[in-house]
Amino acid sequence: MHEQSATGPHHTTTTERGSFAVARCTCGWAGPARRSRDRARTDAADHIGATDDRDARAQGRP
């Protein structure tokens, strides 16, 4: 997995493989395979939230 620059946007998608759903991001991140589509979407939202927090810290914001 590679990290995207602090200034680049993250865009997530959720795809299905059989009975599993996987969240992925343009930065290369991928969540675990989930049987619950809602949980895969939550994984994606958590990833976006974590990257927003990390980006804010990198720019010196609390």
Side-chain angles (χ1 to χ4, degrees):
M1 168 172 54
H2 65 281
E3 291 294 319
Q4 186 168 352
S5 71
T7 58
H10 290 255
H11 299 283
T12 58
T13 58
T14 305
T15 58
E16 294 184 23
R17 284 194 211 159
S19 60
F20 292 91
V22 178
R24 296 188 183 279
C25 182
T26 55
C27 74
W29 171 88
R34 305 281 191 179
R35 286 195 182 269
S36 167
R37 291 179 191 95
D38 285 340
R39 183 62 192 148
R41 285 190 290 268
T42 300
D43 290 341
D46 290 348
H47 170 71
I48 294 294
T51 57
D52 287 348
D53 292 345
R54 188 172 43 241
D55 292 349
R57 284 192 305 273
Q59 294 173 5
R61 293 180 289 167

